Coordinates of all heavy atoms in Angstrom, one line a residue:
P1 N -6.4 20.6 7.4 CA -6.1 21.7 8.4 C -7.4 22.4 8.9 O -7.6 22.7 10.0 CB -5.3 22.7 7.7 CG -4.6 21.8 6.6 CD -5.6 20.8 6.2
E2 N -8.4 22.6 7.9 CA -9.5 23.3 8.3 C -10.4 22.5 9.3 O -10.9 22.9 10.2 CB -10.4 23.6 7.1 CG -11.6 24.4 7.4 CD -12.5 24.9 6.2 OE1 -11.8 25.2 5.2 OE2 -13.7 24.8 6.2
L3 N -10.5 21.1 9.0 CA -11.2 20.2 9.9 C -10.5 20.2 11.2 O -11.3 20.2 12.2 CB -11.1 18.7 9.3 CG -11.7 17.7 10.2 CD1 -13.3 18.0 10.4 CD2 -11.5 16.4 9.6
L4 N -9.3 20.2 11.3 CA -8.6 20.2 12.6 C -8.8 21.5 13.4 O -9.0 21.5 14.6 CB -7.1 19.9 12.5 CG -6.7 18.6 11.9 CD1 -5.2 18.4 11.8 CD2 -7.3 17.5 12.7
A5 N -9.0 22.5 12.7 CA -9.2 23.9 13.3 C -10.6 23.8 14.0 O -10.8 24.4 14.9 CB -9.1 25.0 12.2
R6 N -11.6 23.2 13.3 CA -12.9 23.2 13.8 C -13.2 22.0 14.8 O -14.1 22.1 15.5 CB -13.9 23.0 12.6 CG -14.0 24.2 11.6 CD -15.0 23.9 10.6 NE -14.5 22.9 9.6 CZ -15.2 22.2 8.8 NH1 -16.5 22.2 8.8 NH2 -14.6 21.3 8.1
E7 N -12.2 21.2 14.8 CA -12.3 20.1 15.8 C -11.1 19.9 16.6 O -10.3 19.1 16.5 CB -12.5 18.7 15.1 CG -13.7 18.7 14.2 CD -15.0 18.5 15.0 OE1 -14.9 18.1 16.1 OE2 -16.1 18.8 14.4
P8 N -10.9 20.8 17.7 CA -9.8 20.8 18.5 C -9.6 19.5 19.3 O -8.4 19.1 19.5 CB -10.0 22.0 19.5 CG -11.4 22.5 19.3 CD -11.9 21.9 18.0
A9 N -10.6 18.8 19.6 CA -10.5 17.5 20.3 C -9.8 16.5 19.3 O -9.0 15.7 19.8 CB -11.9 17.0 20.7
L10 N -10.2 16.5 18.0 CA -9.6 15.6 17.1 C -8.0 16.0 16.9 O -7.2 15.1 16.9 CB -10.3 15.7 15.7 CG -9.7 14.9 14.5 CD1 -9.8 13.4 14.9 CD2 -10.5 15.2 13.3
A11 N -7.8 17.2 16.8 CA -6.4 17.7 16.7 C -5.5 17.3 17.9 O -4.4 16.7 17.8 CB -6.4 19.2 16.5
A12 N -6.1 17.4 19.1 CA -5.4 17.0 20.3 C -5.2 15.5 20.3 O -4.1 15.0 20.6 CB -6.2 17.4 21.5
K13 N -6.2 14.7 19.8 CA -6.0 13.2 19.8 C -5.0 12.8 18.8 O -4.2 11.9 19.1 CB -7.4 12.6 19.3 CG -7.4 11.1 19.3 CD -7.3 10.5 20.6 CE -7.3 8.9 20.4 NZ -6.8 8.2 21.6
I14 N -4.9 13.5 17.7 CA -3.8 13.2 16.7 C -2.5 13.5 17.2 O -1.6 12.7 17.1 CB -4.2 14.0 15.2 CG1 -5.4 13.3 14.7 CG2 -3.0 13.8 14.4 CD1 -5.9 14.1 13.5
L15 N -2.4 14.6 17.9 CA -1.1 15.0 18.4 C -0.6 14.1 19.5 O 0.5 13.7 19.6 CB -1.2 16.5 19.0 CG 0.1 17.0 19.6 CD1 1.2 17.0 18.5 CD2 -0.2 18.5 20.1
E16 N -1.6 13.6 20.3 CA -1.3 12.6 21.4 C -0.7 11.4 20.8 O 0.2 10.7 21.3 CB -2.5 12.4 22.2 CG -2.3 11.4 23.3 CD -3.6 11.2 24.2 OE1 -4.3 12.2 24.4 OE2 -3.8 10.1 24.6
E17 N -1.4 10.9 19.7 CA -1.1 9.6 19.1 C 0.4 9.7 18.4 O 1.2 8.9 18.5 CB -2.1 9.2 18.0 CG -3.4 8.7 18.7 CD -4.4 8.4 17.6 OE1 -4.2 8.4 16.5 OE2 -5.6 8.1 18.0
V18 N 0.6 11.0 17.8 CA 1.9 11.2 17.2 C 3.0 11.1 18.3 O 4.0 10.6 18.0 CB 1.9 12.5 16.3 CG1 3.3 12.8 16.0 CG2 1.0 12.4 15.1
E19 N 2.7 11.8 19.3 CA 3.8 11.8 20.4 C 4.0 10.4 21.0 O 5.1 10.1 21.3 CB 3.2 12.8 21.6 CG 3.3 14.3 21.2 CD 2.7 15.2 22.1 OE1 2.0 14.7 23.1 OE2 2.9 16.4 22.0
E20 N 2.9 9.6 21.2 CA 3.1 8.3 21.7 C 3.9 7.4 20.7 O 4.8 6.6 21.1 CB 1.7 7.7 22.0 CG 1.0 8.2 23.1 CD -0.4 7.6 23.4 OE1 -0.8 6.6 22.7 OE2 -1.1 8.1 24.2
E21 N 3.6 7.5 19.4 CA 4.3 6.9 18.4 C 5.8 7.2 18.4 O 6.7 6.3 18.4 CB 3.7 7.1 17.0 CG 4.2 6.2 16.0 CD 3.5 6.4 14.6 OE1 2.3 6.5 14.6 OE2 4.3 6.6 13.6
A22 N 6.1 8.5 18.5 CA 7.5 9.0 18.5 C 8.2 8.5 19.7 O 9.3 8.0 19.6 CB 7.5 10.5 18.5
G23 N 7.5 8.5 20.9 CA 8.2 8.0 22.1 C 8.5 6.5 22.0 O 9.6 6.1 22.4
A24 N 7.5 5.8 21.4 CA 7.8 4.3 21.4 C 8.9 4.0 20.4 O 9.7 3.0 20.7 CB 6.5 3.6 20.9
Y25 N 9.0 4.8 19.3 CA 10.0 4.5 18.3 C 11.4 4.8 19.0 O 12.3 4.0 18.8 CB 9.9 5.5 17.1 CG 11.0 5.4 16.1 CD1 11.0 4.3 15.2 CD2 12.0 6.4 16.1 CE1 12.1 4.4 14.3 CE2 13.0 6.4 15.3 CZ 13.1 5.4 14.4 OH 14.1 5.4 13.4
V26 N 11.5 6.0 19.6 CA 12.8 6.3 20.2 C 13.1 5.3 21.3 O 14.3 4.9 21.4 CB 12.7 7.7 20.8 CG1 13.9 8.1 21.7 CG2 12.6 8.8 19.7
N27 N 12.2 4.9 22.2 CA 12.5 4.0 23.2 C 13.0 2.6 22.6 O 13.9 2.0 23.1 CB 11.2 3.7 24.1 CG 11.0 4.9 24.9 OD1 11.8 5.7 25.3 ND2 9.7 5.0 25.4
S28 N 12.3 2.1 21.5 CA 12.8 0.9 20.9 C 14.3 1.0 20.4 O 15.0 0.1 20.4 CB 11.9 0.5 19.7 OG 12.0 1.3 18.6
K29 N 14.6 2.1 19.8 CA 15.9 2.4 19.2 C 17.0 2.5 20.4 O 18.1 1.9 20.3 CB 16.0 3.7 18.4 CG 15.2 3.6 17.1 CD 15.6 2.4 16.3 CE 14.8 2.3 15.1 NZ 15.1 1.1 14.3
V30 N 16.7 3.1 21.5 CA 17.5 3.2 22.6 C 17.7 1.8 23.2 O 18.9 1.4 23.5 CB 16.9 4.2 23.8 CG1 17.6 4.0 25.1 CG2 17.0 5.6 23.2
K31 N 16.7 1.0 23.3 CA 16.7 -0.3 23.9 C 17.7 -1.2 23.0 O 18.6 -1.9 23.5 CB 15.4 -0.9 24.0 CG 15.5 -2.4 24.5 CD 14.0 -2.9 24.7 CE 14.1 -4.3 25.2 NZ 12.7 -4.9 25.3
A32 N 17.5 -1.1 21.7 CA 18.4 -1.9 20.8 C 19.8 -1.5 20.8 O 20.7 -2.4 20.8 CB 17.9 -1.7 19.3
L33 N 20.2 -0.2 21.0 CA 21.5 0.2 21.1 C 22.1 -0.2 22.4 O 23.2 -0.6 22.5 CB 21.6 1.8 20.9 CG 21.3 2.2 19.5 CD1 21.1 3.7 19.3 CD2 22.4 1.7 18.5
K34 N 21.3 -0.1 23.5 CA 21.8 -0.5 24.8 C 22.2 -2.0 24.8 O 23.1 -2.4 25.5 CB 20.9 -0.1 26.0 CG 20.9 1.3 26.2 CD 19.9 1.7 27.4 CE 20.0 3.1 27.7 NZ 19.2 3.6 28.9
Q35 N 21.4 -2.8 24.2 CA 21.7 -4.3 24.0 C 23.0 -4.5 23.4 O 23.5 -5.6 23.5 CB 20.5 -4.9 23.4 CG 19.2 -5.0 24.2 CD 18.1 -5.7 23.4 OE1 18.1 -5.7 22.3 NE2 17.1 -6.1 24.3
Q36 N 23.4 -3.5 22.6 CA 24.8 -3.6 22.0 C 25.9 -3.0 22.7 O 27.0 -2.6 22.3 CB 24.7 -3.0 20.5 CG 23.8 -3.7 19.6 CD 23.6 -3.0 18.3 OE1 24.6 -2.6 17.7 NE2 22.4 -2.9 17.8
N37 N 25.6 -2.7 24.0 CA 26.6 -1.9 24.9 C 26.9 -0.6 24.5 O 28.1 -0.2 24.7 CB 27.7 -2.9 25.2 CG 27.3 -4.1 26.0 OD1 26.4 -4.2 26.8 ND2 27.9 -5.2 25.7
I38 N 26.0 0.1 23.8 CA 26.3 1.4 23.5 C 25.7 2.3 24.4 O 24.4 2.3 24.8 CB 25.8 1.8 22.0 CG1 26.5 0.8 21.0 CG2 25.9 3.2 21.7 CD1 25.9 0.9 19.6
K39 N 26.4 3.4 25.0 CA 25.9 4.3 25.9 C 25.1 5.4 25.0 O 25.5 6.1 24.2 CB 27.0 5.1 26.6 CG 26.5 6.1 27.6 CD 27.8 6.8 28.3 CE 27.2 7.8 29.2 NZ 28.3 8.7 29.8
V40 N 23.7 5.4 25.3 CA 22.8 6.2 24.6 C 21.7 6.5 25.5 O 21.3 5.9 26.5 CB 22.3 5.3 23.4 CG1 21.5 4.2 23.9 CG2 21.4 6.2 22.5
S41 N 21.0 7.7 25.2 CA 19.8 8.2 25.8 C 18.9 8.7 24.7 O 19.4 9.0 23.6 CB 20.0 9.2 26.9 OG 20.6 10.3 26.3
G42 N 17.6 8.7 25.0 CA 16.7 9.3 23.9 C 15.6 10.1 24.6 O 15.3 10.0 25.8
M43 N 15.0 11.0 23.7 CA 14.0 11.9 24.3 C 13.3 12.4 23.0 O 13.8 12.3 21.9 CB 14.5 13.0 25.1 CG 15.3 14.0 24.2 SD 15.8 15.5 25.1 CE 16.9 14.9 26.3
T44 N 12.1 12.8 23.2 CA 11.3 13.5 22.2 C 10.9 14.8 22.7 O 10.8 15.2 23.9 CB 10.0 12.7 21.8 OG1 9.2 12.7 23.1 CG2 10.2 11.4 21.4
Q45 N 10.9 15.8 21.7 CA 10.7 17.3 22.1 C 9.7 17.8 21.1 O 9.8 17.4 19.9 CB 12.0 18.0 22.1 CG 13.0 17.6 23.1 CD 12.7 18.2 24.5 OE1 12.2 19.3 24.6 NE2 12.8 17.3 25.4
D46 N 8.9 18.8 21.4 CA 8.2 19.6 20.4 C 9.0 20.8 19.9 O 9.8 21.4 20.6 CB 6.9 20.2 21.1 CG 5.9 19.1 21.4 OD1 6.0 18.0 20.7 OD2 5.2 19.2 22.3
G47 N 8.8 21.2 18.7 CA 9.4 22.4 18.2 C 9.9 22.1 16.8 O 9.9 21.1 16.2
P48 N 10.5 23.3 16.2 CA 11.1 23.1 14.8 C 12.3 22.2 14.9 O 13.1 22.4 15.8 CB 11.6 24.6 14.6 CG 10.9 25.5 15.5 CD 10.5 24.7 16.8
V49 N 12.3 21.2 14.1 CA 13.2 20.1 14.3 C 14.7 20.5 14.3 O 15.4 20.2 15.3 CB 13.0 19.0 13.1 CG1 14.0 17.9 13.2 CG2 11.5 18.5 13.2
P50 N 15.3 21.2 13.3 CA 16.7 21.6 13.4 C 17.0 22.4 14.6 O 18.0 22.1 15.3 CB 17.0 22.4 12.1 CG 15.8 22.1 11.2 CD 14.6 21.8 12.1
D51 N 16.2 23.4 14.9 CA 16.5 24.2 16.2 C 16.4 23.4 17.4 O 17.2 23.5 18.4 CB 15.5 25.3 16.2 CG 15.5 26.3 15.0 OD1 16.6 26.3 14.4 OD2 14.7 27.0 14.6
T52 N 15.4 22.5 17.5 CA 15.3 21.7 18.7 C 16.4 20.6 18.8 O 16.9 20.5 20.0 CB 13.9 20.9 18.6 OG1 12.7 21.9 18.5 CG2 13.6 20.2 19.8
I53 N 16.8 20.1 17.7 CA 18.0 19.2 17.9 C 19.2 19.9 18.4 O 19.9 19.5 19.3 CB 18.3 18.5 16.5 CG1 17.2 17.5 16.2 CG2 19.7 17.9 16.5 CD1 17.3 17.1 14.7
L54 N 19.5 21.1 17.8 CA 20.6 21.9 18.2 C 20.5 22.3 19.6 O 21.5 22.3 20.5 CB 20.9 23.0 17.3 CG 21.2 22.7 15.9 CD1 21.1 23.8 14.9 CD2 22.7 22.1 15.8
A55 N 19.4 22.8 20.1 CA 19.1 23.3 21.4 C 19.3 22.2 22.5 O 20.0 22.4 23.5 CB 17.8 23.9 21.6
V56 N 18.7 21.0 22.2 CA 18.9 19.9 23.1 C 20.3 19.4 23.2 O 20.9 19.2 24.3 CB 18.0 18.8 22.8 CG1 18.3 17.5 23.5 CG2 16.5 19.1 23.0
A57 N 21.0 19.4 22.1 CA 22.5 18.9 22.1 C 23.2 19.8 23.0 O 24.1 19.4 23.8 CB 23.0 18.9 20.7
E58 N 23.0 21.2 22.9 CA 23.7 22.1 23.6 C 23.4 22.0 25.2 O 24.1 22.0 26.0 CB 23.4 23.5 23.1 CG 24.2 24.6 23.9 CD 24.1 26.0 23.3 OE1 23.9 26.1 22.0 OE2 24.1 26.9 24.0
E59 N 22.0 21.8 25.4 CA 21.6 21.7 26.7 C 22.1 20.5 27.5 O 22.4 20.6 28.7 CB 20.1 21.6 26.7 CG 19.3 21.5 28.0 CD 17.8 21.4 27.9 OE1 17.2 22.2 27.1 OE2 17.2 20.5 28.5
I60 N 22.3 19.4 26.8 CA 22.8 18.3 27.4 C 24.3 18.1 27.3 O 24.9 17.1 27.7 CB 22.1 16.9 27.0 CG1 22.4 16.7 25.6 CG2 20.5 17.0 27.3 CD1 21.9 15.3 25.1
H61 N 24.9 19.0 26.7 CA 26.4 19.0 26.4 C 26.7 17.7 25.8 O 27.8 17.0 26.0 CB 27.2 19.1 27.8 CG 26.7 20.3 28.6 ND1 27.1 21.5 28.2 CD2 26.1 20.4 29.7 CE1 26.7 22.4 29.2 NE2 26.0 21.7 30.0
A62 N 26.0 17.4 24.6 CA 26.3 16.3 23.8 C 27.7 16.4 23.1 O 28.2 17.4 22.9 CB 25.3 16.1 22.7
D63 N 28.3 15.2 23.0 CA 29.6 15.1 22.3 C 29.5 15.1 20.7 O 30.4 15.4 20.1 CB 30.3 13.8 22.8 CG 30.7 13.9 24.2 OD1 31.0 14.9 24.7 OD2 30.6 12.8 24.9
M64 N 28.3 14.5 20.3 CA 28.1 14.4 18.9 C 26.5 14.3 18.7 O 25.8 13.8 19.5 CB 28.7 13.2 18.4 CG 28.5 12.9 17.0 SD 29.4 11.2 16.4 CE 28.4 10.1 17.3
I65 N 26.1 14.6 17.5 CA 24.8 14.5 17.0 C 24.9 13.4 15.9 O 25.6 13.6 14.9 CB 24.1 15.7 16.5 CG1 24.1 16.8 17.5 CG2 22.8 15.5 15.9 CD1 23.7 18.3 17.1
A66 N 24.1 12.4 16.0 CA 24.1 11.2 15.0 C 22.7 11.3 14.5 O 21.7 11.3 15.3 CB 24.4 10.0 15.6
M67 N 22.5 11.4 13.1 CA 21.1 11.3 12.6 C 21.1 10.8 11.3 O 22.1 10.7 10.6 CB 20.6 12.9 12.6 CG 21.4 13.8 11.8 SD 20.8 15.5 12.1 CE 19.2 15.6 11.5
S68 N 19.9 10.3 10.9 CA 19.6 9.6 9.6 C 19.2 10.7 8.6 O 18.5 11.7 9.0 CB 18.7 8.5 9.7 OG 18.4 8.0 8.4
T69 N 19.5 10.6 7.4 CA 18.9 11.5 6.4 C 17.8 10.8 5.7 O 17.7 9.6 5.7 CB 20.0 11.9 5.4 OG1 20.4 10.7 4.7 CG2 21.3 12.4 6.0
H70 N 17.0 11.6 4.9 CA 16.0 10.9 4.1 C 16.5 10.5 2.8 O 15.8 9.8 2.1 CB 14.8 11.9 4.0 CG 13.9 12.0 5.1 ND1 13.1 11.0 5.6 CD2 13.8 13.0 6.1 CE1 12.5 11.4 6.7 NE2 13.0 12.6 7.0
G71 N 17.7 10.9 2.4 CA 18.3 10.5 1.2 C 17.7 11.3 0.0 O 17.9 10.9 -1.2
R72 N 17.1 12.5 0.2 CA 16.6 13.3 -0.9 C 17.6 13.9 -1.6 O 18.6 14.4 -1.0 CB 15.5 14.2 -0.4 CG 14.3 13.6 0.2 CD 13.2 14.7 0.6 NE 12.1 14.1 1.1 CZ 11.8 14.2 2.5 NH1 12.6 14.8 3.3 NH2 10.7 13.7 2.9
T73 N 17.5 14.1 -2.9 CA 18.5 14.9 -3.6 C 17.8 15.9 -4.6 O 16.6 15.8 -4.8 CB 19.4 13.9 -4.5 OG1 18.5 13.2 -5.4 CG2 20.2 13.0 -3.6
G74 N 18.6 16.7 -5.2 CA 18.1 17.5 -6.3 C 16.9 18.4 -5.8 O 16.9 19.0 -4.8
I75 N 15.9 18.6 -6.8 CA 14.8 19.5 -6.6 C 14.0 19.1 -5.3 O 13.5 20.0 -4.6 CB 13.9 19.6 -7.8 CG1 12.9 20.8 -7.8 CG2 13.1 18.3 -8.1 CD1 13.6 22.1 -8.0
Q76 N 13.8 17.8 -5.1 CA 13.0 17.4 -3.9 C 13.6 18.0 -2.6 O 12.9 18.4 -1.7 CB 12.9 15.9 -3.8 CG 11.9 15.4 -2.8 CD 11.9 13.9 -2.8 OE1 12.8 13.2 -3.2 NE2 10.7 13.4 -2.4
R77 N 15.0 17.9 -2.5 CA 15.6 18.3 -1.3 C 15.5 19.8 -1.2 O 15.3 20.5 -0.2 CB 17.2 18.0 -1.4 CG 17.9 18.4 -0.2 CD 19.2 17.8 -0.1 NE 19.9 18.2 1.1 CZ 21.2 18.8 1.1 NH1 21.8 18.9 0.0 NH2 21.8 19.2 2.1
W78 N 15.7 20.5 -2.4 CA 15.6 22.0 -2.4 C 14.2 22.4 -1.9 O 14.1 23.4 -1.2 CB 15.9 22.5 -3.8 CG 15.8 24.0 -3.9 CD1 16.7 24.9 -3.5 CD2 14.7 24.7 -4.5 NE1 16.3 26.1 -3.7 CE2 15.1 26.2 -4.4 CE3 13.5 24.4 -5.1 CZ2 14.3 27.1 -4.8 CZ3 12.7 25.5 -5.5 CH2 13.2 26.8 -5.4
L79 N 13.1 21.8 -2.4 CA 11.8 22.2 -2.1 C 11.5 21.9 -0.7 O 10.7 22.7 0.0 CB 10.8 21.4 -3.1 CG 10.7 21.9 -4.5 CD1 9.9 21.1 -5.3 CD2 10.2 23.4 -4.5
L80 N 11.9 20.8 -0.2 CA 11.5 20.3 1.2 C 12.5 20.8 2.2 O 12.1 20.7 3.4 CB 11.4 18.8 1.3 CG 10.3 18.2 0.3 CD1 10.4 16.6 0.3 CD2 8.9 18.6 0.7
G81 N 13.7 21.3 1.8 CA 14.6 21.6 2.9 C 15.3 20.4 3.4 O 14.9 19.2 3.1
S82 N 16.3 20.5 4.2 CA 17.0 19.4 4.8 C 17.4 19.7 6.2 O 18.1 20.6 6.6 CB 18.3 19.2 4.0 OG 19.1 18.3 4.7
V83 N 16.7 19.0 7.1 CA 16.9 19.1 8.6 C 18.4 18.8 8.8 O 19.1 19.7 9.4 CB 16.0 18.1 9.4 CG1 16.5 18.1 10.8 CG2 14.6 18.5 9.2
A84 N 18.9 17.7 8.2 CA 20.3 17.4 8.4 C 21.3 18.5 8.0 O 22.3 18.8 8.7 CB 20.7 16.1 7.7
D85 N 21.0 19.2 6.8 CA 21.7 20.3 6.2 C 21.8 21.4 7.3 O 22.9 21.9 7.6 CB 21.2 20.7 4.9 CG 22.2 21.6 4.2 OD1 23.3 21.2 4.0 OD2 21.7 22.7 3.9
K86 N 20.6 21.7 7.7 CA 20.6 22.8 8.8 C 21.3 22.5 10.0 O 22.1 23.4 10.6 CB 19.1 23.2 9.0 CG 18.5 23.8 7.9 CD 17.0 23.9 8.1 CE 16.3 24.4 6.8 NZ 14.9 24.4 6.9
V87 N 21.2 21.2 10.5 CA 21.9 20.8 11.7 C 23.5 20.9 11.4 O 24.2 21.4 12.3 CB 21.5 19.5 12.3 CG1 22.4 19.0 13.3 CG2 20.0 19.5 12.7
V88 N 23.9 20.3 10.4 CA 25.3 20.3 10.1 C 25.9 21.8 9.9 O 27.0 22.0 10.5 CB 25.6 19.5 8.7 CG1 26.9 19.9 8.2 CG2 25.4 18.1 8.9
H89 N 25.2 22.6 9.4 CA 25.7 24.0 9.1 C 25.6 24.8 10.4 O 26.3 25.9 10.4 CB 25.1 24.6 7.9 CG 25.5 24.1 6.7 ND1 24.9 23.0 6.0 CD2 26.7 24.4 6.0 CE1 25.6 22.8 4.9 NE2 26.7 23.5 4.9
H90 N 24.9 24.5 11.4 CA 24.7 25.3 12.5 C 25.2 24.7 13.9 O 25.3 25.3 14.8 CB 23.2 25.8 12.7 CG 22.8 26.7 11.7 ND1 22.2 26.2 10.5 CD2 22.9 28.0 11.4 CE1 21.9 27.2 9.7 NE2 22.4 28.3 10.3
S91 N 25.7 23.4 13.8 CA 26.1 22.8 15.0 C 27.6 23.2 15.4 O 28.4 23.4 14.5 CB 26.1 21.2 14.7 OG 26.5 20.5 15.9
H92 N 27.8 23.2 16.7 CA 29.2 23.5 17.1 C 30.0 22.2 17.6 O 31.0 22.3 18.1 CB 29.1 24.5 18.3 CG 28.5 25.8 18.0 ND1 29.0 26.7 17.1 CD2 27.3 26.3 18.3 CE1 28.4 27.8 16.9 NE2 27.2 27.6 17.6
I93 N 29.2 21.0 17.4 CA 29.8 19.7 17.7 C 29.7 18.9 16.5 O 29.0 19.2 15.6 CB 29.1 19.1 19.0 CG1 27.6 18.8 18.6 CG2 29.3 20.0 20.2 CD1 26.9 18.0 19.7
P94 N 30.5 17.8 16.4 CA 30.4 16.9 15.3 C 29.1 16.4 15.0 O 28.3 16.1 16.0 CB 31.5 15.8 15.6 CG 32.3 16.4 16.7 CD 31.5 17.4 17.4
V95 N 28.7 16.3 13.7 CA 27.4 15.6 13.3 C 27.7 14.5 12.4 O 28.5 14.6 11.5 CB 26.5 16.6 12.6 CG1 25.3 16.0 12.1 CG2 26.3 17.9 13.4
M96 N 27.2 13.3 12.8 CA 27.4 12.1 11.9 C 26.1 11.9 11.2 O 25.1 11.6 11.8 CB 27.7 10.9 12.8 CG 27.9 9.5 11.9 SD 28.5 8.2 12.8 CE 27.2 7.9 14.0
L97 N 26.1 11.8 9.9 CA 24.9 11.6 9.1 C 25.0 10.1 8.6 O 26.0 9.7 8.1 CB 24.8 12.5 7.9 CG 24.7 14.0 8.3 CD1 24.7 14.9 7.0 CD2 23.6 14.3 9.1
I98 N 23.9 9.5 8.7 CA 23.7 8.1 8.3 C 22.8 8.0 7.2 O 21.6 8.4 7.4 CB 23.3 7.2 9.5 CG1 24.4 7.3 10.6 CG2 23.2 5.7 9.0 CD1 23.8 6.8 11.9
H99 N 23.1 7.5 6.0 CA 22.2 7.4 4.9 C 21.2 6.2 5.2 O 21.6 5.2 5.8 CB 22.9 7.1 3.6 CG 22.2 7.3 2.3 ND1 21.3 6.3 1.9 CD2 22.0 8.3 1.6 CE1 20.7 6.7 0.8 NE2 21.1 8.0 0.6
P100 N 19.9 6.4 4.8 CA 19.0 5.4 5.3 C 19.1 4.0 4.6 O 18.6 3.1 5.2 CB 17.5 6.0 4.7 CG 18.0 7.0 3.6 CD 19.4 7.5 4.1
N101 N 19.9 3.9 3.6 CA 20.1 2.6 2.9 C 21.4 2.1 3.4 O 21.8 1.0 3.2 CB 20.2 2.8 1.4 CG 18.8 3.2 0.8 OD1 17.8 2.9 1.5 ND2 18.7 3.9 -0.2

């Protein structure tokens, strides 16, 4: 963190690479689902993950939120929090959780 604060160009480069990687990942998943004749769209957004998921779902009038979990349990889940848990408890539409295995 300290290095990134002293090197804003490095921080910007890392952020750009992360955004490109996220976009490529989402695009590959959308393409795979469309090949299975599933109506799907994808996007990436910046912001706190649970809040951003809920805001986008409301903004686009989504019928459902489908998301994968990390499969954490016990103390690890308590320490790290759970995006899925926050989305489930604050969503006004159905949420489908898919275990990673």
